[in-house]
Amino acid sequence: MSEIMVQGAPIESLIAVTKATEFRPDIYVNQENLTSKEGIRSAFGGSLLGQSAAAAAATVPPTFQIYSLQSAFLRAVTPKEKVRYHVERILDGRGFASRIVRATQGSNNACLYSATICFQRNMPVGNVLDYHVPMPEEGGTLPDSIRDGKAQEMMAAITGRSVPLIQLGVKEDPFDWRPFDHPPAGEPTKFWQRTFVRSPTIASKDLQVHQSALVYMSDAFTIGAALHANPNKVGKKLSNVTMAVTLAANLSIHEPTARVDEWMFAQHETSWGSNGRVVIHQRYWDVKSGRLIMSGTQECLIRLKDASKL
């Protein structure tokens, strides 16, 4: 196998893939085991998101950056078993490229996850429309004024040990999350989660590494926006939750030169829940410039205990 990425910051090894030369061209496998937690049968969805982005990026020139990712989680993945990422080259144009990535596992090659990933060449494009949703006011609060590890402490305090969610400690999490603001839970659609976040310094100068890391990050804390917006339904320490998994993730990356190791401001909120599913919206801004870096939606399956048994 030939190495595609080298180890640097923890996130670099978590998204790293290698070319599987014993198979046909454009098949890649993960370098490290998928992110998981003891007692959880599946793996963190961000692993599949980030690694599929890295595999697709390995098949385009370095001047091409991801602008869109649309994906579906189809089956549970086995964390300690290698995942094969089959990349199909759909379009190779002068300014745009598209790939379909299918993640498989096991001897039967069952498809666990699929993604359509689109790239645009990073070059001047002349006179264009240029605008974005402004970053929310943070009232002068700076990331360094918020204690490191506060996000993990808050999650541990409001999430029971038996809840089927992957909770990472400060030393396990590849990102530094600093929770900033959320209103009291009432009307679910009026609730939001706001955090500052960045990774440790990334050794690679390849912007595609930063983009794959952003894609991985997009699955962290996201489902919590719907859970914590409905405290009466989910119960104390989420004790009524029996399942919480991602079904689909759709992302748009707006700033091709954004670095994941610089402070970002993230906001997560939910707009809808019914039929066992919820929709969550997320936006990430660069703190220094205020520019919108990434936005997206995630659809998740949340199952609760039978009301008659509560």
Side-chain angles (χ1 to χ4, degrees):
M1 294 183 181
S2 58
E3 189 172 14
I4 300 301
M5 297 180 187
V6 296
Q7 185 174 359
I11 185 58
E12 293 183 75
S13 60
L14 292 174
I15 60 175
V17 294
T18 57
K19 193 166 186 178
T21 55
E22 67 268 30
F23 297 105
R24 63 180 176 81
D26 292 346
I27 297 182
Y28 299 83
V29 297
N30 49 310
Q31 273 190 10
E32 295 194 358
N33 288 339
L34 304 181
T35 303
S36 188
K37 197 74 172 175
E38 186 177 353
I40 303 293
R41 291 183 296 175
S42 191
F44 175 55
S47 296
L48 294 172
L49 285 161
Q51 290 171 8
S52 68
T59 69
V60 300
T63 53
F64 279 68
Q65 313 298 332
I66 297 172
Y67 73 86
S68 172
L69 181 148
Q70 299 178 340
S71 64
F73 295 83
L74 307 174
R75 294 179 175 87
V77 63
T78 303
K80 294 184 179 180
E81 185 177 327
K82 290 293 185 183
V83 176
R84 293 182 292 276
Y85 295 93
H86 306 249
V87 182
E88 183 178 353
R89 304 185 185 216
I90 303 300
L91 171 70
D92 283 295
R94 292 182 58 188
F96 293 86
S98 295
R99 301 289 186 263
I100 291 177
V101 182
R102 296 178 179 87
T104 67
Q105 203 174 52
S107 58
N108 62 352
N109 234 21
C111 186
L112 313 169
Y113 164 90
S114 67
T116 300
I117 304 175
C118 299
F119 298 80
Q120 183 177 10
R121 186 179 173 191
N122 188 18
M123 62 180 183
V125 290
N127 188 25
V128 297
L129 299 177
D130 189 358
Y131 60 93
H132 62 91
V133 175
M135 187 175 77
E137 294 291 334
E138 74 278 8
T141 302
L142 299 174
D144 290 336
S145 68
I146 303 171
R147 181 168 41 84
D148 184 17
K150 185 178 178 181
Q152 288 79 7
E153 291 177 9
M154 289 176 60
M155 284 298 296
I158 60 179
T159 308
R161 291 180 178 272
S162 62
V163 177
L165 290 173
I166 296 174
Q167 302 175 65
L168 300 178
V170 176
K171 294 182 179 180
E172 301 168 303
D173 198 314
F175 302 109
D176 182 359
W177 297 89
R178 308 285 178 101
F180 167 63
D181 177 41
H182 62 80
E187 163 59 39
T189 60
K190 303 298 183 182
F191 177 85
W192 63 70
Q193 295 177 164
R194 290 175 176 170
T195 56
F196 295 105
V197 60
R198 69 177 177 184
S199 78
T201 301
I202 288 182
S204 175
K205 297 180 180 180
D206 187 348
L207 289 174
Q208 291 178 341
V209 173
H210 287 266
Q211 292 203 316
S212 297
L214 270 174
V215 172
Y216 178 106
M217 178 189 289
S218 71
D219 197 45
F221 290 103
T222 305
I223 201 169
L227 294 171
H228 303 308
N230 292 275
N232 294 332
K233 288 283 189 178
V234 301
K236 185 178 180 179
K237 289 201 169 187
L238 310 183
S239 56
N240 295 339
V241 178
T242 61
M243 179 179 289
V245 297
T246 301
L247 297 173
N250 301 302
L251 299 170
S252 294
I253 297 180
H254 311 298
E255 289 291 328
T257 60
R259 294 185 59 90
V260 77
D261 54 5
E262 296 180 353
W263 282 117
M264 294 168 282
F265 184 97
Q267 176 171 297
H268 296 86
E269 56 195 325
T270 182
S271 62
W272 174 88
S274 187
N275 301 321
R277 306 191 321 276
V278 299
V279 171
I280 300 158
H281 306 264
Q282 58 180 308
R283 289 175 176 149
Y284 286 76
W285 291 265
D286 174 68
V287 169
K288 187 180 297 184
S289 69
R291 297 283 295 181
L292 184 65
I293 293 173
M294 178 174 69
S295 60
T297 59
Q298 197 158 306
E299 190 156 2
C300 303
L301 173 67
I302 296 177
R303 290 182 177 169
L304 306 176
K305 292 178 180 177
D306 189 329
S308 65
K309 298 179 181 179
L310 299 179

